[in-house]
Amino acid sequence: MASKGYLAQMRGFTLIEISIVLVVIGLLLSGGLVALGPVLQNAKRTETENTLTKVEDAILLYTIQHSCLPCPADGSLVTGSGNDGRSETNTGAFYISQCSDDAGGASCRADSGQNVVPWVTLGLSEADAIDAWGNRLYYGVTTGLDLADSMDRSGTTYPAGTLDVGNIADASDPSDNVTGVAAYVLFSFGQDGSDARASQSGALRTDRYNSADQDENSDGATDGFVQDSPVDIDGNTYFDDILRWKSAPIIVQQCGSGVCGNP
């Protein structure tokens, strides 16, 4: 028969002791999650950067094949609607593999802040044209940039439109224009997804911050775009957009000799 001393040694934890252990475990877990958050977001930014590179490669291939940039797609369309992911002209016509001349000389659709990557036109899937936060990538082309002067010496012109990519400023110094002649702009709306178009549904995401620089990128390109490093401060200084752009001379250089009007 067990002695009273042995039974005393075998007693379980008290409720107070268990509570203390649970509190300690909770603190450790919460601290770990807080530390893990930035790591996960950095991984998503890297994933998004890789996606942007893939899209830019597809745009370059399209340009080599057709000597022009494709028109943007309508980001508000639901996946599976038939014309989602397809370049659209200002007449409402959709096309898959033609440029403006092949589409009847029509201009690109007006930019109302919902232009996105035309993944079907580029031979991609929608998954190839969304960022790591599940939003469609913005894409717009410049207004009537003449390829005869800057890119295509055969006389073809870029699809015309209402977008003015010409003014891409540095957020830290808005007067410091990075370029005056950008052929296209491509970007992710970042972690907060403010004003982005959601994948599948095409729904407009809520603007979470009153950020002047981010609003500049989502206002329909009425006066250019802003690029900068992430600024994790709430309010009008918050910024997490990931922006890419290329000028016509850069595209020509990347096309190689004998294509895109490059002798």
Side-chain angles (χ1 to χ4, degrees):
M1 191 170 181
S3 65
K4 292 183 178 180
Y6 179 75
L7 289 175
Q9 293 176 2
M10 294 294 292
R11 71 178 180 83
F13 292 106
T14 65
L15 291 177
I16 294 178
E17 291 171 333
I18 293 175
S19 299
I20 293 174
V21 170
L22 291 176
V23 169
V24 172
I25 292 175
L27 291 174
L28 291 174
L29 287 176
S30 62
L33 291 175
V34 170
L36 186 60
V39 175
L40 294 176
Q41 293 306 324
N42 286 336
K44 288 188 175 184
R45 288 189 68 88
T46 299
E47 179 183 343
T48 299
E49 292 279 9
N50 292 336
T51 299
L52 290 169
T53 297
K54 183 175 183 177
V55 171
E56 285 199 295
D57 289 342
I59 292 174
L60 178 62
L61 178 60
Y62 183 98
T63 307
I64 291 173
Q65 293 174 333
H66 304 288
S67 293
C68 75
L69 292 169
C71 287
D74 184 350
S76 67
L77 296 180
V78 177
T79 299
S81 62
N83 289 317
D84 55 300
R86 298 177 63 184
S87 293
E88 182 181 353
T89 69
N90 64 348
T91 62
F94 295 89
Y95 62 94
I96 295 179
S97 61
Q98 297 97 339
C99 290
S100 59
D101 290 347
D102 299 318
S107 300
C108 289
R109 66 187 306 274
D111 178 28
S112 58
Q114 62 188 32
N115 286 351
V116 298
V117 171
W119 63 86
V120 173
T121 302
L122 293 174
L124 302 173
S125 67
E126 183 178 5
D128 296 322
I130 64 174
D131 60 22
W133 297 278
N135 298 314
R136 292 171 175 171
L137 298 173
Y138 179 95
Y139 164 75
V141 294
T142 198
T143 303
L145 179 62
D146 191 350
L147 297 184
D149 295 332
S150 59
M151 183 174 168
D152 183 3
R153 291 162 180 81
S154 67
T156 307
T157 59
Y158 278 108
T162 60
L163 174 64
D164 181 10
V165 183
N167 177 24
I168 298 180
D170 187 328
S172 60
D173 182 7
S175 64
D176 179 18
N177 288 343
V178 178
T179 180
V181 195
Y184 71 79
V185 65
L186 169 72
F187 67 87
S188 159
F189 289 89
Q191 175 184 347
D192 73 322
S194 293
D195 295 317
R197 290 284 169 177
S199 63
Q200 300 295 314
S201 68
L204 181 65
R205 302 284 195 187
T206 303
D207 188 347
R208 296 178 56 192
Y209 300 99
N210 183 25
S211 169
D213 290 333
Q214 291 197 153
D215 289 344
E216 191 83 357
N217 287 344
S218 61
D219 63 1
T222 56
D223 52 2
F225 297 87
V226 172
Q227 69 176 22
D228 197 12
S229 300
V231 179
D232 297 325
I233 302 174
D234 292 353
N236 60 9
T237 58
Y238 183 90
F239 189 86
D240 65 1
D241 293 353
I242 308 173
L243 186 141
R244 300 278 187 93
W245 59 270
K246 278 190 174 65
S247 65
I250 291 177
I251 296 175
V252 170
Q253 183 179 25
Q254 291 183 326
C255 282
S257 60
V259 291
C260 299
N262 193 11

